[in-house]
Amino acid sequence: MAKVILLSGSPNKIGNTMDVLKECKKSIENENVEAEIISLSGKNIRGCTGCRKCKEIKKCIIDDGLNDILFKVKEAEGFIIGAPVYFGTPRGDLMNAIQRIGMVSYGTDRFLSWKVGGPVAIGRRGGLSTTYQEMLMFYFINEMIVPGSSYWNIVFGKAPGDALKDTEGIESTTRFASNVAKLINKIN
């Protein structure tokens, strides 16, 4: 069965980012595609050092738990990233994670190429569009396929639970998640 990995870039195991990704997971599963949410909560993901050892060893040389995520992404057909926006841009450790995943893909067999997915940005107000656009760069440079939706994949919310009250944001992100699964099914 095809699978989508949803990566929560929040330092919190529960909260708006996880709430939104759970809704996306339901939409994916409604299309008969498996979905798994992985959280960066509790992890200390370091930045890429540019050592290029990944080309030789086929994984990242830094041993901080990212390789476990990387291998799950490699095996999946889809990859969605949930980015909480606290200060106008994606969190640093989330960018560390996806830059290292991208570097390993680029340095080895380009396993990200033709995967289906895209970013979702969650935050109170400012920086959502900037975060969404910055995250898209990851998808495009890795030759990934990003399906559209009824609006950009941004959801407004500050306090835990607020994101679920943004009905337009939830509708557009769950439609996007459904489109990810539908496209994976068509490709397969």
Side-chain angles (χ1 to χ4, degrees):
M1 178 182 270
K3 185 172 187 175
V4 175
I5 297 296
L6 298 101
L7 180 62
S8 172
S10 176
N12 305 305
K13 284 194 181 206
I14 58 171
N16 287 319
T17 303
M18 190 59 78
D19 287 346
V20 171
L21 290 182
K22 285 178 181 175
E23 293 299 311
C24 289
K25 182 179 188 284
K26 287 183 211 171
S27 293
I28 292 165
E29 290 172 341
N30 284 339
E31 299 297 332
N32 296 315
V33 173
E34 188 179 346
E36 178 182 354
I37 300 173
I38 299 172
S39 175
L40 290 184
S41 178
K43 295 177 175 51
N44 184 19
I45 305 298
R46 296 174 27 209
C48 179
T49 62
C51 70
R52 307 238 190 262
K53 292 284 185 189
C54 54
K55 192 170 185 173
E56 298 168 33
I57 65 173
K58 312 292 186 227
K59 63 181 183 177
C60 186
I61 197 165
I62 301 170
D63 186 19
D64 59 3
L66 184 72
N67 283 322
D68 294 336
I69 298 169
L70 183 146
F71 292 132
K72 286 186 176 201
V73 171
K74 184 174 183 174
E75 295 302 314
E77 288 79 13
F79 187 36
I80 294 174
I81 301 167
V85 181
Y86 298 142
F87 208 66
T89 60
R91 291 177 33 80
D93 58 344
L94 175 58
M95 293 307 292
N96 289 345
I98 67 171
Q99 288 170 0
R100 285 174 49 204
I101 291 169
M103 186 64 90
V104 173
S105 174
Y106 199 82
T108 58
D109 60 357
R110 300 204 182 225
F111 61 82
L112 290 173
S113 181
W114 284 85
K115 287 195 188 298
V116 182
V120 177
I122 303 99
R124 179 181 165 264
R125 194 171 301 284
L128 290 167
S129 293
T130 305
T131 297
Y132 180 70
Q133 291 167 344
E134 185 175 344
M135 302 288 288
L136 279 173
M137 304 283 261
F138 166 80
Y139 288 88
F140 295 146
I141 199 168
N142 285 296
E143 301 179 304
M144 298 173 79
I145 304 166
V146 181
S149 184
S150 56
Y151 199 73
W152 297 291
N153 305 329
I154 60 175
V155 182
F156 293 101
K158 183 179 180 181
D162 280 354
L164 294 176
K165 297 174 190 170
D166 177 9
T167 55
E168 182 182 8
I170 294 296
E171 181 184 329
S172 63
T173 55
T174 56
R175 181 181 301 235
F176 157 73
S178 178
N179 288 341
V180 167
K182 286 176 183 174
L183 187 52
I184 288 169
N185 284 332
K186 283 191 180 287
I187 290 170
N188 286 340

